[in-house]
Every structure is written in structure tokens, then in C-alpha cells.
Amino acid sequence: MVRDNSAGIYRICKAYLYNKSHVDDLYQEILLQIWKSLDSYKGAAKISTWIYRIAVNTAITYNAQHKKTRFNELPERAEIADEPQTAAKEKESQLTQLTNAINQLEEHDRIIISLVLEDLSYKEIAEITGSNTNNIGVRIARIKTKLLKLMENQNYA
Amino acid sequence: MDFDELQKNWQAQPIKMPENWQSINAGLTDQWQKQQRSVLLSNIFTTLGFIAAIINFGWVYKSFHQGHSLFFGGSLLFMSVLLLVYLWVLWKGYALKKNDPTLNSKEYIYQSLKKLHWRRKTITHFGWFYSVLLWAALMLYMQDVTTGGSLAFRIGAPLITTVYIFGIMIVMRKTKQKKQLNKIDLLITDLQVLLEKMEA
């Protein structure tokens, strides 16, 4: 079950961490926490929700503990070619822009958007973060708008 | 730009994860055991040391209590109680290291903050309180055992003990404790800001 969600966990680490060189360490730490908590899973929540909850909480602690090494990385340069790009290159460029835009979001917004990108429902995201289910939709819409705006700004820059 | 397309692109991105699951599993077992071992060993050694001290106090009392005042037995008993209280705090601190990561994030941060504040209080208040009580117990003990000695001995022994205890306390406060408090304060500030934003 952890293996089924491992890619999602890894992407959350990538989206949430300020220092990308720590992604592998955080990923290992999350697996350790899940491994340690397996006995406490009672089946009250979906297993994926439970796993993502551990992932997010471990990431929060990890980020706070590694504050000294926290920094916003210089944005990677997305290639904007004059000639039409191949589909693969275009996707790669879009991904770089997306990563750069996520890097500019605030910590809490990063948590939420990393869960949205994993296609979790509003109910699940509210359950993981402890947010109000009624407000989470508005919040997500606001973050999405901000993210798209940040990406557009990169295109104009 | 379409968000759904971004989402698909994000999920399809190539990622390099460690592939050998069995080796990860073995690594995790190793890490977990290492973590547990280091904290447990330190606590177990301290506990054994303290138990040895308490047994020693008992032996001192049993062998030498005749001819001494109530202060003699009282101070030994008081020091034993102090050591037991310290052990309780030590093991409680060990339990505090285990945050429950299965809670929802807001609750998790809230619980972490409560624990961090408790640790802070332990360093700033409990350390002083404990040392002063230990010092008082030692003074009672010395008051009794130095009776009949020379004036220099009766003043010198408690004075050296006092300088030693408070000297160590001041040095620890300015070095190790200062670092620990700085680290705890940073964590508290960081988590508080995050919690406020989550509640906003």
C-alpha cells in the first residue's frame, strides 16, 4: 500500500521542501514514520489519506528542523524557444515553470497545492490538514489562481 | 493555461526513487533501531546510575545514622526523592519525542507546540528548581556530617559544593541550554506562524 503511494509521497516532498537537495532524506523519513505508525492504522480513514497525513506532518517537522538550510532556490530557467517545441520539451518546460511557481508559494499553500496536484478530493485535503471542509474549496481556488498567475509572470519575464 | 493539464503533467513527471524496496525496508528497520537505541541507552544508564546512588544513600544511612541528627536521614531521603523525580522527567521527555504523525496537520502542530513549550519550561524552570533543591539537601547533609569539624572545614565544604553546583548551572545555562532554547524557540515560532496561517 505504501508502494502504491510512494510516487505521490515523493512528489509531495519535492513540492513542499524549500531545499530540494533534502527530498530523498525527507522521503526516507516519511517512510520511516509510516513504518513506525502502521500498527496504529485503524481503518477509520482511507489508507491513502492516512499515508498522506503522515507525509505532510513529517514534512512540516522536517522543514521546521532544517530551517537553517532552508532557502528558496534560484528559479530554474524554463526554455522558451522561438521555434515550435516538441511536445516532450514543452511538457518539461511547463513542469519547470510549475516547480518554480510552487517554490514561490507560502508554506501552507504549498502543502495544499501538493495534495491538490495528487488529485485528492477536497474532503480528503480538509481531513489531512484539519481545515474546514466548507472553506477548503475557496482556499484551493485562490491558490490555483495564484499559481497560474505566477506561471504567467514567468512567461513574461 | 489549464490546471488539469498541469496536474497531469505533474503526476507524469519522471522521478528517481530508490528502487530496491527490500533495501529501503532494511534501512528503515536499521534507522528506527538506531534512534531507539541511542535514547533508550542514555536513559537506561542514567536510571542505573541513579538507582546505584539511591542504594548508596541507603547504605550510608544504615551504616552511619547512629549519632546523627534528623537532618542526616532527611537529607538522604530528600536527595533520593529528587533523583526519582528527575528520572520521571527524563522518561517523560523520552515519551514526548514521539509525536503522533497520524493526526490531522493542525492538531499535529498544536500537539507539537504543546510539547515544545513543555520542553522549554523543563529547561528554564525545572533545571533551576531541581538544582536549588539538590543544593538545599546537600547543605542539610553537610550541616550534619561536618558537625564537630574545624570552622574552616564547616565553611569550606559547603562553600566548595555551592560554587560547584551553581558554577555548573551557570556554565550549562550559557552554553548547552542557550543552544537548546534557541532551537526550541525557532521551532515554536515557525510552527506558530504555520498554524496561524492554517487557521486563517
Side-chain angles (χ1 to χ4, degrees):
Chain A
M1 67 188 169
V2 179
R3 205 179 317 192
D4 292 343
N5 294 287
S6 59
I9 296 171
Y10 197 86
R11 284 191 294 266
I12 286 183
C13 300
K14 218 177 148 190
Y16 180 65
L17 273 187
Y18 288 89
N19 190 342
K20 305 294 180 208
S21 66
H22 285 213
V23 170
D24 282 357
D25 290 344
L26 173 60
Y27 176 70
Q28 288 270 353
E29 180 67 28
I30 290 170
L31 292 186
L32 178 68
Q33 288 299 333
I34 294 171
W35 188 81
K36 275 161 60 180
S37 313
L38 276 177
D39 289 343
S40 66
Y41 178 64
K42 302 278 186 283
K46 255 171 76 179
I47 187 76
S48 56
T49 310
W50 183 81
I51 286 173
Y52 283 122
R53 206 185 279 172
I54 296 177
V56 169
N57 289 341
T58 311
I60 289 170
T61 307
Y62 188 93
N63 214 30
Q65 282 173 344
H66 293 80
K67 201 178 177 181
K68 273 188 183 171
T69 54
R70 178 194 290 185
F71 60 93
N72 280 321
E73 292 189 333
L74 286 173
E76 284 177 47
R77 190 141 182 87
E79 277 182 36
I80 302 166
D82 295 334
E83 291 167 21
Q85 296 184 353
T86 62
K89 276 221 162 185
E90 201 176 323
K91 272 188 179 178
E92 196 184 312
S93 158
Q94 199 183 52
L95 199 59
T96 310
Q97 282 186 338
L98 176 60
T99 310
N100 289 341
I102 295 172
N103 279 348
Q104 291 173 61
L105 291 175
E106 282 192 54
E107 193 173 354
H108 178 242
D109 291 348
R110 283 177 188 225
I111 297 172
I112 292 181
I113 204 66
S114 64
L115 297 170
V116 173
L117 285 167
E118 290 309 314
D119 217 7
L120 267 69
S121 68
Y122 287 5
K123 190 173 168 275
E124 282 174 304
I125 296 173
E127 213 178 300
I128 291 166
T129 56
S131 308
N132 187 322
T133 321
N134 299 325
N135 297 341
I136 198 78
V138 181
R139 196 162 214 170
I140 289 172
R142 188 173 47 78
I143 301 169
K144 277 183 184 174
T145 312
K146 198 174 173 184
L147 190 75
L148 292 173
K149 205 171 177 184
L150 284 166
M151 287 186 73
E152 272 172 32
N153 288 346
Q154 286 183 59
N155 280 334
Y156 293 125
Chain B
M1 219 173 285
D2 179 14
F3 190 82
D4 290 340
E5 193 193 327
L6 282 179
Q7 196 177 29
K8 274 184 201 157
N9 202 359
W10 176 257
Q11 288 183 15
Q13 66 177 297
I15 44 177
K16 288 178 202 159
M17 281 188 303
E19 279 174 11
N20 188 344
W21 195 258
Q22 276 186 338
S23 74
I24 293 176
N25 233 343
L28 292 179
T29 315
D30 241 29
Q31 266 190 53
W32 169 237
Q33 282 174 346
K34 244 185 231 170
Q35 268 184 23
Q36 287 290 299
R37 219 180 295 143
S38 67
V39 183
L40 265 178
L41 274 180
S42 138
N43 278 11
I44 286 170
F45 279 126
T46 313
T47 306
L48 288 177
F50 281 14
I51 288 172
I54 292 169
I55 290 170
N56 196 35
F57 291 159
W59 175 79
V60 169
Y61 178 75
K62 208 179 162 203
S63 309
F64 305 107
H65 76 279
Q66 278 173 347
H68 284 284
S69 72
L70 201 67
F71 287 145
F72 182 75
S75 59
L76 288 173
L77 180 71
F78 193 36
M79 281 192 276
S80 303
V81 171
L82 283 176
L83 292 183
L84 289 174
V85 170
Y86 190 82
L87 280 183
W88 174 76
V89 172
L90 200 70
W91 285 101
K92 192 171 155 65
Y94 169 62
L96 285 180
K97 287 195 166 91
K98 294 177 188 164
N99 280 5
D100 181 4
T102 65
L103 298 167
N104 74 51
S105 302
K106 253 164 73 173
E107 185 62 21
Y108 176 80
I109 296 173
Y110 183 69
Q111 294 293 338
S112 303
L113 279 170
K114 257 171 73 177
K115 288 171 182 181
L116 284 168
H117 281 297
W118 198 89
R119 269 188 219 168
R120 200 179 194 289
K121 205 180 259 180
T122 306
I123 295 172
T124 53
H125 293 72
F126 182 77
W128 279 99
F129 187 63
Y130 177 78
S131 303
V132 168
L133 286 179
L134 189 68
W135 170 82
L138 274 167
M139 289 305 110
L140 281 179
Y141 179 77
M142 283 189 177
Q143 158 73 24
D144 190 275
V145 295
T146 56
T147 308
S150 68
L151 187 66
F153 181 60
R154 295 195 66 184
I155 295 173
L159 193 69
I160 290 168
T161 310
T162 305
V163 170
Y164 177 77
I165 290 180
F166 289 99
I168 292 279
M169 268 171 63
I170 290 165
V171 170
M172 289 289 277
R173 198 170 180 83
K174 292 206 164 169
T175 54
K176 202 177 168 192
Q177 286 184 2
K178 201 177 168 189
K179 273 186 195 165
Q180 282 177 332
L181 286 176
N182 282 343
K183 206 174 168 190
I184 290 173
D185 286 344
L186 268 175
L187 281 171
I188 289 176
T189 314
D190 224 38
L191 291 178
Q192 253 163 358
V193 170
L194 186 59
L195 187 65
E196 275 164 25
K197 288 202 170 143
M198 287 176 100
E199 282 172 343

